[in-house]
Amino acid sequence: MNNETFGMTFQYAICIEYDIENKISIERIDKELLSTFLKSKIIRKIFRGKSKPIKSLYKTKEFTSEFISRCPHSFLLENEETFSVKTFKGNGKMFAPKVVGQAGEDTFNHFFGHLQKNEINRTNFKEFCLENISEILPIVVDYALVSDYNCWFYRKDETFSYEIIKRADLPDLTFDKSNFTFTKPTSQSWNESNNLKYKYCA
């Protein structure tokens, strides 16, 4: 089972648990996993003491704009706050942030274009990232935790676990450019992937 099926099944389970209409195709659901989610009672545990979900935002145009084509949230809560789900198999936490994570040129320039005078394109993209990473990263983190409540849900073997990250708890992030290093420090040496490291000084 891939992570997409895992994630869609979990969202569908939330819809079943709270009797929410949704646009999730049953073909994208793993029925055995769905049953496991519902029997585990973990969904009720996640929302215990919190506002409950009342609307699935999957495939809706709510919270979208010219530069945000898909709704970045998973659910609307009773108190009109937003709730998002990110699912992970094993201990990994790799994902593309909503909106800015896999943006086209127009969207990328909309959110990051203020960081330099010239338009950002395929030719200067790598150089832009190398030179502006300390200012890019706070924006990326901001959209990684774009919902009022962000649920990171894990499955390791047959065990489920989760953590809830509140957007209100996100601190103002600033980074010292001199503490960043790239495994490919120039645009010429950067062919495909490039690993970013940050030296944290407590």
Side-chain angles (χ1 to χ4, degrees), residues 15-200:
C15 293
I16 295 298
E17 186 71 43
Y18 290 100
D19 194 24
I20 299 171
E21 291 185 11
N22 63 86
K23 297 179 180 179
I24 301 173
S25 171
I26 195 66
E27 295 178 356
R28 303 182 69 183
I29 304 306
D30 184 294
K31 294 182 179 179
E32 183 177 343
L33 180 61
L34 175 63
S35 177
T36 302
F37 283 145
L38 296 174
K39 289 178 180 178
S40 72
K41 307 295 183 183
I42 196 165
I43 295 172
R44 291 284 176 177
K45 184 179 179 182
I46 288 172
F47 289 100
R48 187 178 300 154
K50 302 180 183 68
S51 186
K52 304 300 184 289
I54 59 171
K55 184 176 183 178
S56 169
L57 296 176
Y58 176 69
K59 283 194 172 181
T60 72
K61 286 297 181 181
E62 296 188 45
F63 302 98
T64 62
S65 70
E66 178 184 356
F67 298 100
I68 304 175
S69 59
R70 294 190 297 176
C71 181
H73 315 292
S74 303
F75 293 94
L76 186 68
L77 305 180
E78 290 172 323
N79 62 358
E80 298 189 349
E81 290 185 314
T82 53
F83 185 94
S84 284
V85 174
K86 279 290 179 187
T87 52
F88 307 91
K89 295 175 68 177
N91 294 322
K93 295 184 180 180
M94 295 178 62
F95 68 94
K98 298 287 183 71
V99 182
V100 300
Q102 295 175 319
E105 282 190 14
D106 289 344
T107 299
F108 194 88
N109 275 280
H110 176 74
F111 289 103
F112 298 101
H114 64 285
L115 299 180
Q116 76 167 23
K117 293 181 179 179
N118 299 326
E119 182 177 285
I120 306 159
N121 53 42
R122 291 179 181 272
T123 302
N124 63 17
F125 171 77
K126 293 177 181 178
E127 198 65 43
F128 169 77
C129 292
L130 293 169
E131 290 297 321
N132 298 280
I133 188 59
S134 60
E135 296 174 279
I136 292 171
L137 201 55
I139 299 172
V140 171
V141 173
D142 189 46
Y143 280 95
L145 302 172
V146 68
S147 299
D148 295 303
Y149 292 89
N150 302 273
C151 176
W152 290 6
F153 189 81
Y154 309 93
R155 181 184 187 181
K156 186 175 182 181
D157 299 323
E158 296 304 316
T159 303
F160 300 129
S161 61
Y162 68 92
E163 53 187 319
I164 303 290
I165 304 169
K166 294 176 62 177
R167 182 172 176 80
D169 293 338
L170 181 65
D172 291 329
L173 297 176
T174 56
F175 296 97
D176 186 338
K177 182 180 177 181
S178 64
N179 288 333
F180 283 103
T181 56
F182 287 87
T183 54
K184 307 291 177 58
T186 67
S187 57
Q188 291 76 24
S189 61
W190 180 355
N191 293 320
E192 294 183 5
S193 63
N194 199 350
N195 294 328
L196 173 66
K197 299 179 181 180
Y198 186 75
K199 180 182 178 182
Y200 176 71

